[in-house]
Amino acid sequence: MSPTITITNEDILEQVKLSGKIPEIIEEIVTRKVIENAAAEAGIKVETEELQKAADQLRLMNQLQSADHTWAWLEKQGLSLDDFEKMNYINLISNKLFRHLFADKVEPYFFQHQLDYARVVLYEVILNDEDLAIELFYAIQEGEVSFYDVAHKYIQDIELRRKGGYPGIVYRQDLKPEICAAVFAAKPPQLLKPIVSSKGVHLILVEEIIQLELDNALYQKIASNLFSEWLKEQIAKIDVVKQLDSNCLSSNSEA
């Protein structure tokens, strides 16, 4: 017969403490309460039909195809039916609050910061020797050697070398200022003169500059960032008072 282990609520709380996640959990609690309070102040409500639809979507997302599957999943997660409804409620009011606060601010923000969302397709080799970089620059321009050959010879990282120095599509805001200015002034396809930065001497081939449109994915990204920044500002204003049983935190106080 297999041995059994009984896990109590006290065991779970102790493990939370031992995992060092109490500060993270407290931040999540504060975030939830900020959202609930802000939604109440804004008069945001959730209808029964909306809760049902959200529950159906959550079940679909977790592949819970029957009532038995749902109950088994809830038991595994340590959730009651009320907890499940609370999850859906929080998700709904979060989405509604986010739309209430920022639905009409995303587009103006995008146009104001449009340059930040420009992207570039480039290939890059970083060298330690500026004279060598200049020599290779002219050699590529004269057709004596290809950029791929230079990348294959001088890039140390195996995966990056195999891709010929292609790091993936890069956002403007992720480039160092001294590199960004030169890259976005290029007329692709163009090989840039070597650029010196704190990382070394950059030999860059600009293949394409991509100006983004405000599609649904970018809309959601901007809106999510705005909402996150708003939440940080609200949380920073709050004085968190923890009314916890001293016995529950005895191990912390002893530490």
Side-chain angles (χ1 to χ4, degrees):
M1 182 176 179
S2 300
T4 26
I5 295 177
T6 301
I7 298 176
T8 66
N9 289 337
E10 288 74 19
D11 291 327
I12 294 172
L13 177 57
E14 182 181 25
Q15 187 58 40
V16 168
K17 290 190 292 181
L18 295 175
S19 68
K21 292 184 178 180
I22 283 184
E24 177 184 334
I25 291 172
I26 287 175
E27 184 176 345
E28 291 175 355
I29 293 170
V30 172
T31 299
R32 173 170 58 81
K33 289 182 177 292
V34 165
I35 290 172
E36 288 176 330
N37 291 340
E41 288 177 8
I44 294 172
K45 297 180 180 180
V46 173
E47 303 298 333
T48 303
E49 295 78 6
E50 292 176 308
L51 277 172
Q52 184 59 54
K53 184 177 179 180
D56 292 341
Q57 289 175 339
L58 188 58
R59 279 193 288 265
L60 182 63
M61 186 171 60
N62 289 283
Q63 299 181 339
L64 307 176
Q65 300 171 354
S66 68
D68 288 341
H69 288 155
T70 302
W71 283 113
W73 181 82
L74 289 173
E75 184 177 359
K76 182 178 180 181
Q77 302 299 323
L79 298 171
S80 67
L81 186 58
D82 287 342
D83 296 329
F84 184 68
E85 291 179 354
K86 181 72 171 181
M87 285 172 59
N88 290 311
Y89 173 78
I90 293 298
N91 289 335
L92 279 170
I93 64 167
S94 295
N95 289 331
K96 286 191 168 191
L97 179 62
F98 139 71
R99 288 196 298 270
H100 171 76
L101 293 173
F102 299 109
D104 59 347
K105 293 181 175 63
V106 173
E107 189 171 329
Y109 182 91
F110 169 72
F111 286 112
Q112 185 179 354
H113 299 84
Q114 194 166 5
L115 287 179
D116 293 339
Y117 294 97
R119 298 180 298 172
V120 62
V121 178
L122 57 78
Y123 296 81
E124 179 181 46
V125 177
I126 302 177
L127 302 157
N128 295 322
D129 187 331
E130 187 173 3
D131 291 335
L132 175 60
I134 293 172
E135 180 184 332
L136 292 171
F137 168 75
Y138 284 112
I140 295 171
Q141 277 204 323
E142 295 298 325
E144 297 172 6
V145 65
S146 71
F147 191 94
Y148 176 83
D149 292 334
V150 171
H152 192 71
K153 182 175 181 179
Y154 291 98
I155 293 177
Q156 300 300 314
D157 183 270
I158 295 175
E159 289 302 317
L160 193 57
R161 184 170 68 232
R162 286 172 178 168
K163 293 185 288 187
Y166 174 64
I169 297 176
V170 181
Y171 278 98
R172 181 188 187 105
Q173 59 192 3
D174 294 331
L175 293 171
K176 291 181 175 292
E178 62 269 28
I179 295 173
C180 179
V183 165
F184 283 92
K187 296 181 179 178
Q190 181 181 344
L191 178 68
L192 304 181
K193 289 184 178 180
I195 303 169
V196 179
S197 82
S198 58
K199 294 180 67 176
V201 187
H202 301 252
L203 197 58
I204 298 173
L205 174 63
V206 180
E207 181 176 278
E208 180 185 0
I209 294 175
I210 306 170
Q211 299 292 344
L212 285 188
E213 295 182 357
L214 187 59
D215 58 15
N216 185 61
L218 183 56
Y219 181 96
Q220 295 300 328
K221 176 183 173 66
I222 293 173
S224 177
N225 289 341
L226 290 175
F227 193 43
S228 295
E229 287 302 315
W230 177 83
L231 281 171
K232 287 179 184 177
E233 291 173 4
Q234 302 309 306
I235 291 171
K237 300 174 185 176
I238 294 174
D239 183 17
V240 178
V241 178
K242 292 176 281 187
Q243 294 183 343
L244 303 174
D245 189 325
S246 58
N247 292 328
C248 293
L249 298 179
S250 57
S251 60
N252 282 353
S253 60
E254 292 169 3

